[in-house]
Amino acid sequence: TARTDRREPPPNLLAARAAYVLRGNDTGSLVTAAPRLYPHMWSWDAAFISIGLAHLDVGRAVAELDTLFAAQWSGGMLPHIVFTEDGADEYFPGPDRWGTHELSKHAPRDPLTSGICQPPVHAIAVGRLLEIARRGGAVDRGEAEGFVRRSWPKLYAWHRWLAEHRDPGGEGLLAVVHGWESGMDNSPRWDSAYAGVRPGADLPPYVRRDLRLVADAGMRPSDAEYDRYLWLVEEMRRVGYDPDRVVATSSFLVGDVFLTAIFAVACDVLAELGEEFGEPATQIAALRGWARRSRAAVAATVDPATGLARDRDFRSGAWIGTRTIAGFAPLLCGGLDRAAERALLSILDGPDWCGNPELTAALVPSTSPADDAFRPRQYWRGPQWPVMGWLFGWSFARRGWAERAERHRVEGLRLCSDGAFAEYYHPLTGEPLGSFDQSWTAAVVLDWLC
Ligand code: 9YW
């Protein structure tokens, strides 16, 4: 449907539908990422979901993050999936394939979890939740403040884990050991690094389940990609998920500039909360130090030729210059000098990105329509993800760019006004793609509307 053909429901109807999606996906203790495709809790989804829930019921929003924190590994890692019992047979790879409870001394036995992590957006969510709760009455405020007090040490432990175990270069560019950890599973950012992953002949056989649940297999990663995904899990199993041995042995080790930018800004948010709530000064100073180091590391990745930030393959030493949403990472955390930042903003507004007149909504596509890797229907290879629009809008507001933040909100709502709450959208037609009634999409729509 072209932009002009869209019938847009009034905002209160869209908000009611978004609330209905979150309620529908609520199992009681957690809101699954999506009704059928993703019947478990995903780490960064849970953070965004809690922001949406905060508009409906602060207590329920807090409970969502409590559920995630209850699955925290003893070393501090927040696992990327917390498995529900009901969904265990529905999703692959499930708890048996990961086997974390049998292989790692750090993993919880109840609930069962995966053995990798996702981007650390949680402190951002806690900060936003507190803001929303403070607009309400004393009960909401009290609930949120109590939650900040009890979750702060857990968030600190999570950030410390990342700083201590995921900075192999020692300069603040944090590494992922699996594309899934970036949250952008099949982004062309990872193609060259995955080319170096050679699945062994002893990769145990498996059956994918995702393909039964989307209309078109072409929207999902390929089988060859899946073999590599599973091989990396196999490598981690073989070292018992020990964080340092994983970094030493994984055939995939990439400095993720987008995750690093999120870490930098989330460290600042957590430090600010720590100051307000009287947390230990040494820990606040550590957070500020990690923020500074990672912010500088993000700025140092910028390619002078293109102006975009880049990931770095720690195994091959190569920079990764594919034009993806990650190129704008410095806008999330700041740290560029004025000229470089202005240049990056004009790339963002230009014809290869948000200024492309063919876009349904002026939100950053996951891959530039001008890049050879662009595939408009395929997951992280081109579609727009509403939740990423929210993250940029939030960052712009934090950085004092109110007008840009507002534009992002309006454009995000334009994309989501079809009421499908799709996982991702075709950037040129606005067609909803992937899973529908996706929780984090509903959550960010609620935050945009309320
Ligand atoms: C998968 C749940 C997750 C997100 C990821 C997204 C997708 C899971 O869905 O990955 O099995 O493909 O890439 O960012 O957390 O919404």
Side-chain angles (χ1 to χ4, degrees):
T1 348
R3 179 186 297 203
T4 44
D5 296 343
R6 293 196 152 205
R7 290 246 189 101
E8 303 194 357
N12 54 358
L13 184 55
L14 191 62
R17 283 197 199 163
Y20 184 78
V21 167
L22 290 180
R23 291 275 190 245
N25 294 344
D26 193 343
T27 67
S29 54
L30 61 82
V31 175
T32 61
R36 300 190 61 223
L37 190 58
Y38 306 128
H40 305 288
M41 169 180 270
W42 265 258
S43 167
W44 76 332
D45 297 57
F48 292 109
I49 288 167
S50 73
I51 295 171
L53 289 173
H55 291 287
L56 306 174
D57 176 346
V58 172
R60 182 64 194 80
V62 161
E64 191 68 9
L65 290 174
D66 276 334
T67 299
L68 177 64
F69 290 137
Q72 186 167 28
W73 286 32
S74 60
M77 185 181 81
L78 283 179
H80 107 294
I81 300 179
V82 181
F83 292 109
T84 59
E85 273 167 37
D86 289 352
D89 297 332
E90 293 296 315
Y91 178 83
F92 181 83
D96 292 344
R97 184 70 176 214
W98 284 100
T100 55
H101 56 296
E102 290 157 356
L103 298 168
S104 163
K105 58 179 192 299
H106 297 296
R109 266 91 197 128
D110 181 22
L112 297 173
T113 74
S114 70
I116 56 174
C117 63
Q118 272 189 327
V121 291
H122 313 87
I124 295 172
V126 170
R128 179 74 186 136
L129 188 157
L130 181 65
E131 257 170 39
I132 296 165
R134 282 179 166 161
R135 291 191 210 148
V139 173
D140 282 353
R141 213 161 47 232
E143 182 125 41
E145 288 173 355
F147 173 66
V148 174
R149 287 204 173 81
R150 78 173 179 273
S151 62
W152 201 91
K154 298 176 187 175
L155 287 165
Y156 177 77
W158 162 221
H159 284 221
R160 189 188 54 206
W161 185 86
L162 285 166
E164 287 181 353
H165 298 293
R166 288 306 183 85
D167 186 5
E171 291 179 347
L173 182 64
L174 302 188
V176 291
V177 297
H178 198 299
W180 286 343
E181 290 199 313
S182 71
M184 302 188 188
D185 307 16
N186 74 334
S187 169
R189 296 164 74 188
W190 315 128
D191 286 356
S192 57
Y194 273 126
V197 176
R198 305 257 145 69
D202 50 346
L203 174 66
Y206 66 93
V207 180
R208 291 177 64 171
R209 299 193 186 271
D210 55 321
L211 296 179
R212 301 170 308 158
L213 297 169
V214 290
D216 172 3
M219 293 180 203
R220 299 281 309 174
S222 69
D223 285 345
E225 285 170 320
Y226 250 78
D227 276 355
R228 293 186 164 111
Y229 299 161
L230 269 302
W231 179 249
L232 293 177
V233 173
E234 198 53 33
E235 288 184 333
M236 290 183 242
R237 287 178 54 102
R238 292 178 185 183
V239 294
Y241 297 98
D242 174 82
D244 297 326
R245 290 178 72 202
V246 165
V247 165
T249 59
S250 174
S251 41
F252 184 106
L253 188 72
V254 185
D256 177 336
V257 73
F258 198 79
L259 181 146
T260 301
I262 289 173
F263 178 69
V265 63
C267 279
D268 279 336
V269 171
L270 193 55
E272 288 159 20
L273 289 170
E275 272 154 15
E276 185 187 338
F277 287 82
E279 299 297 337
T282 48
Q283 298 188 355
I284 294 169
L287 287 164
R288 294 287 188 200
W290 297 329
R292 258 195 314 277
R293 196 170 57 174
S294 285
R295 180 172 286 116
V298 168
T301 70
V302 171
D303 182 351
T306 65
L308 293 172
R310 293 172 294 176
D311 302 301
R312 185 179 190 124
D313 188 331
F314 280 119
R315 289 284 174 251
S316 69
W319 289 106
I320 301 168
T322 323
R323 282 177 291 171
T324 71
I325 189 169
F328 299 100
L331 300 181
L332 299 179
C333 64
L336 294 183
D337 63 46
R338 219 176 234 271
E341 186 158 272
R342 216 174 299 135
L344 190 53
L345 284 169
S346 65
I347 297 171
L348 181 73
D349 296 335
D352 293 349
W353 293 96
C354 295
N356 183 323
E358 313 237 325
L359 295 184
T360 299
L363 284 188
V364 198
S366 46
T367 300
S368 168
D371 199 279
D372 288 343
F374 178 68
R375 301 284 177 279
R377 301 171 62 80
Q378 206 188 9
Y379 215 31
W380 292 98
R381 293 185 182 272
Q384 289 163 319
W385 290 65
V387 67
M388 291 297 102
W390 184 93
L391 186 62
F392 276 99
W394 173 86
S395 306
F396 294 162
R398 179 174 162 87
R399 304 207 54 209
W401 305 337
E403 202 183 308
R404 267 185 192 281
E406 175 56 13
R407 235 184 298 149
H408 250 65
R409 191 182 77 87
V410 169
E411 294 298 314
L413 284 172
R414 185 202 307 290
L415 197 60
C416 297
S417 63
D418 63 342
F421 302 104
E423 191 179 9
Y424 42 96
Y425 286 83
H426 191 305
L428 308 178
T429 65
E431 182 192 354
L433 300 171
S435 166
F436 288 7
D437 292 341
Q438 183 85 6
S439 298
W440 66 4
T441 306
V444 301
V445 167
L446 267 178
D447 198 55
W448 278 327
L449 287 172
C450 297

